[in-house]
Amino acid sequence: MTDAHRIRSAETWERVRADYLSGLTGEEVCRRHDLAPSTFWARAQAEGWRRSDQPDPEPENDDLELYADVDLTELVDRTWRRLARAIDRGASVEAARWARLHADLHARGQAVALAESQEARQAEHLARVRPGEVHRPRPRLGPDGRDVHDLESLESNFSGDAPLNRAERRRLEREARRRS
């Protein structure tokens, strides 16, 4: 915002007019050219700057292939800069929108990076395995040094004297009633 009254050159006012008629909002034009909004709107009204008098814009190109080379990290960086600009201007609603978009894009980027690193690790592992070699997981050892997945080691520790839980007791009682 201007601190003191300044007279703008005719070239500056032409750029202001061109920016406004090209589609920028009054707020953006004032910020870009360091104008007070009241000065801008007074000049626009006095000189009859109306967007409705402008010719219709050319239709947009709907060819989305233009964006084929846009990188996700570039989008994350761009949203971060727009978030910073909105915060700097004090536009809290706009900043909140950019923050949500940045968080979403950043999370997607993290997920893509994680998936790529997992694929790379898996490819590296497969490159180390010799053809025909069967992959067996390493045995998990218990405190006594025996394989915890080995059935024989589990059976040797099993004692039939363990107390039954309530469900097992009821099941045995039902079976006994059926037999009798």
Side-chain angles (χ1 to χ4, degrees):
M1 196 57 99
T2 60
D3 294 330
H5 176 75
R6 288 192 291 182
I7 297 176
R8 306 284 196 251
S9 67
E11 295 83 25
T12 301
W13 283 110
E14 273 304 309
R15 287 194 305 270
V16 169
R17 180 180 181 274
D19 285 348
Y20 176 68
L21 295 178
S22 71
L24 292 178
T25 66
E27 181 183 325
E28 291 171 330
V29 172
C30 290
R31 191 176 322 103
R32 178 180 277 185
H33 297 283
D34 193 27
L35 292 171
S38 59
T39 305
F40 167 75
W41 290 115
R43 183 79 169 233
Q45 184 177 16
E47 295 183 6
W49 300 347
R50 295 181 355 155
R51 290 187 186 148
S52 61
D53 295 339
Q54 301 301 309
D56 289 335
E58 292 293 320
E60 279 192 35
N61 185 357
D62 287 342
D63 183 18
L64 296 179
E65 288 301 316
L66 296 171
Y67 305 106
D69 62 338
V70 175
D71 187 27
L72 183 60
T73 55
E74 181 184 334
L75 289 177
V76 171
D77 184 48
R78 189 178 302 170
T79 57
W80 182 256
R81 284 182 274 142
R82 299 243 174 140
L83 168 63
R85 183 177 68 183
I87 290 171
D88 190 43
R89 288 194 324 240
S92 59
V93 173
E94 182 184 352
R97 289 180 184 148
W98 284 115
R100 282 192 302 271
L101 182 58
H102 178 267
D104 182 46
L105 289 174
H106 184 70
R108 288 181 190 202
Q110 294 288 61
V112 166
L114 179 64
E116 288 173 353
S117 69
Q118 287 175 345
E119 288 174 8
R121 282 195 308 265
Q122 186 174 8
E124 181 183 312
H125 172 72
L126 292 175
R128 285 189 306 224
V129 175
R130 290 183 221 120
E133 183 179 316
V134 178
H135 175 70
R136 291 192 177 94
R138 295 183 193 149
R140 291 185 56 202
L141 302 178
D144 56 358
R146 290 190 286 185
D147 184 359
V148 296
H149 295 292
D150 183 13
L151 291 178
E152 293 175 11
S153 66
L154 291 175
E155 290 174 4
S156 64
N157 291 339
F158 180 74
S159 63
D161 299 336
L164 300 175
N165 64 27
R166 188 166 98 186
E168 290 172 343
R169 283 194 312 267
R170 287 184 175 175
R171 182 183 55 79
L172 290 175
E173 288 172 2
R174 279 194 307 268
E175 286 180 9
R177 273 186 261 144
R178 281 190 209 131
R179 288 187 197 138
S180 56

